[in-house]
Amino acid sequence: MKKFFYTFTIFLCFFLLSGCGYNGLIDKREAVEQQWANVENQYQKRQDLVPNLVATVKGYASHEEGVFTQIAEARSKLGGTVYADITDNPEKFEQFQNAQNTLSASLGRLLALTENYPDLKANEQFLDLQSQLEGIENRISTERKRYNDSVGEYNKAIQKFPGVVTAKIFGFTKKAYFHSDEAAAKAPVVSF
């Protein structure tokens, strides 16, 4: 009995002195939250750029109202939704991702219009906005990957021993990953 008591005491002291892994989990959770803020920042930059891009294209292609309406609807869905604690809620996270995918698809249709308007393709303002949008899309992709990396580290930490014990005691839950759009799984058809 005495041996058990000493063993238990040593284990308890080790567990308490190691911080139960709590501080490490806090660091990982904060890294996820910080990376999520970086993703949101890039999405906000894109959303801020869209009205300028639409206004420029509208000047050349005013009769393409369907595309402009789609973009306006996609932006309004994103603007009217509060995404607090989204990384803890897979359903809200999926809604957010779907709304962003809808905006991306609408922007793709908008840029496809340029093929019908050679003057627009040569417009310096449009070319600059298109270049900015391309840069933002690349940064969004990078930030989403970094976010997924930090979520992976966090999710593994709360599932491994001893982190799983600490996670259950203090209520740490899994975070949601970004997943590719289902349409991205199909190879595009290219014809010349």
Side-chain angles (χ1 to χ4, degrees):
M1 186 67 165
K2 204 173 194 183
K3 186 177 181 181
F4 173 76
F5 179 73
Y6 287 127
T7 305
F8 179 75
T9 304
I10 290 172
F11 178 74
L12 184 61
C13 287
F14 175 75
F15 192 68
L16 292 174
L17 292 174
S18 70
C20 311
Y22 181 79
N23 292 338
L25 292 179
I26 292 292
D27 289 343
K28 289 183 186 326
R29 184 178 66 193
E30 287 304 309
V32 169
E33 297 302 322
Q34 179 182 6
Q35 196 53 50
W36 175 248
N38 292 341
V39 170
E40 285 183 319
N41 182 39
Q42 294 306 318
Y43 277 135
Q44 186 62 51
K45 283 183 181 179
R46 177 175 69 176
Q47 195 163 344
D48 293 345
L49 179 69
V50 168
N52 295 330
L53 188 61
V54 168
T56 302
V57 174
K58 232 180 200 180
Y60 287 88
S62 58
H63 61 283
E64 303 284 357
E65 279 303 314
V67 174
F68 302 134
T69 302
Q70 289 174 343
I71 290 172
E73 288 172 358
R75 284 190 76 236
S76 69
K77 283 182 185 176
L78 287 168
T81 308
V82 176
Y83 293 104
D85 299 326
I86 189 173
T87 60
D88 293 327
N89 186 327
E91 291 171 5
K92 282 185 180 179
F93 193 84
E94 187 175 343
Q95 289 173 349
F96 176 81
Q97 190 172 351
N98 289 338
Q100 290 294 343
N101 290 343
T102 300
L103 180 59
S104 293
S106 298
L107 287 172
R109 285 189 282 284
L110 178 72
L111 294 176
L113 286 177
T114 63
E115 297 303 317
N116 299 331
Y117 301 94
D119 291 342
L120 176 61
K121 287 182 0 184
N123 179 290
E124 274 187 50
Q125 183 182 7
F126 174 76
L127 292 174
D128 180 51
L129 291 169
Q130 188 178 20
S131 176
Q132 287 179 44
L133 182 62
E134 183 179 305
I136 289 171
E137 292 295 336
N138 288 336
R139 287 189 293 281
I140 287 171
S141 177
T142 299
E143 296 302 338
R144 285 173 57 157
K145 182 203 176 305
R146 289 177 181 161
Y147 170 81
N148 277 350
D149 290 345
S150 64
V151 166
E153 287 182 32
Y154 170 81
N155 284 347
K156 285 187 275 186
I158 67 167
Q159 294 178 72
K160 290 181 177 179
F161 185 80
V164 68
V165 175
T166 305
K168 290 205 184 290
I169 291 171
F170 293 103
F172 288 87
T173 58
K174 287 180 77 171
K175 302 285 186 182
Y177 286 100
F178 271 107
H179 297 285
S180 63
D181 188 11
E182 290 178 15
K186 298 176 185 168
V189 177
V190 178
S191 60
F192 296 101

